[in-house]
Amino acid sequence: MNAIELLKHDHETLKQVFERLDKTTERGVKTRGELMRHLHEELTIHTRLEEEIFYPAFKAASSKEGDILFHEATEEHRAVEALILPDLEKTEPSSVEFAGRAKVLKDMVEHHIEEEEEDMLPKAGELLGEDRLEELGTQMETRRKELRKQLAEGHAT
């Protein structure tokens, strides 16, 4: 799978988890907890793959416009990782606030996905070419396996 296909697949996975989370109610504490763990894992892995492998390759191949897209995307990651996700994870799943905070996270991530799929990924396809995208996809798959293992053991580095 090339890097762009891999990232789009991740995007679909995230959208599905958010859709399932949207359908929960205050009484679905256990389900919300499980979905939050799954969401946290998927976001962590996806973000690492982009920041460690894909974004640097994109930035190296692009011009100033690509540089701007790179910095905007990493700032969106930072906002989710440092502010929105930790706040949601501290919110009691049985509370009304949980649904509101989950919606804010969903909106932020979906906005990020939309920008990547409309701007960054098409540009990356042009700039990097099929061989490089395949190479990056292979690196990302290998890294994904490492990260899943580390998360399962309780520590991602």
Side-chain angles (χ1 to χ4, degrees):
M1 186 180 305
N2 80 31
I4 291 173
E5 292 166 351
L6 186 145
L7 293 175
K8 285 184 174 182
H9 181 270
D10 283 1
H11 292 165
E12 286 307 309
T13 299
L14 288 167
K15 288 178 188 177
Q16 289 170 10
V17 176
F18 277 118
E19 192 174 306
R20 290 176 55 208
L21 191 58
D22 268 353
K23 292 178 181 173
T24 65
T25 66
E26 290 83 20
R27 293 188 323 204
V29 174
K30 183 178 177 195
T31 302
R32 282 181 169 181
E34 290 167 1
L35 289 170
M36 284 302 300
R37 281 187 290 283
H38 184 63
L39 186 62
H40 187 107
E41 180 177 306
E42 292 300 327
L43 282 170
T44 298
I45 291 170
H46 180 75
T47 299
R48 294 276 179 86
L49 294 178
E50 286 182 334
E51 291 182 357
E52 292 175 9
I53 299 168
F54 187 76
Y55 288 177
F58 174 77
K59 186 178 179 201
S62 66
S63 62
K64 183 179 179 186
E65 181 186 1
D67 201 36
I68 292 168
L69 288 173
F70 166 83
H71 287 290
E72 181 180 338
T74 54
E75 275 305 301
E76 288 173 346
H77 284 181
R78 191 178 70 76
V80 166
E81 287 180 338
L83 304 170
I84 300 168
L85 188 58
D87 191 40
L88 176 59
E89 289 177 330
K90 287 185 242 166
T91 304
E92 178 57 48
S94 64
S95 70
V96 177
E97 290 83 10
F98 183 91
R101 290 177 179 167
K103 172 105 172 65
V104 168
L105 177 62
K106 177 185 179 207
D107 290 350
M108 179 79 168
V109 171
E110 286 181 347
H111 169 79
H112 177 76
I113 288 170
E114 186 178 312
E115 284 186 340
E116 276 188 356
E117 291 189 0
E118 289 179 7
D119 297 329
M120 185 181 277
L121 298 183
K123 282 180 181 48
E126 294 169 18
L127 293 168
L128 297 168
E130 199 55 43
D131 289 345
R132 181 70 173 129
L133 289 171
E134 287 294 332
E135 180 184 310
L136 291 170
T138 300
Q139 290 174 22
M140 291 163 74
E141 280 292 348
T142 300
R143 182 67 174 135
R144 176 191 309 279
K145 288 175 186 159
E146 292 169 0
L147 289 167
R148 281 214 194 279
K149 185 177 179 201
Q150 289 171 359
L151 287 169
E153 294 169 354
H155 51 81
T157 56

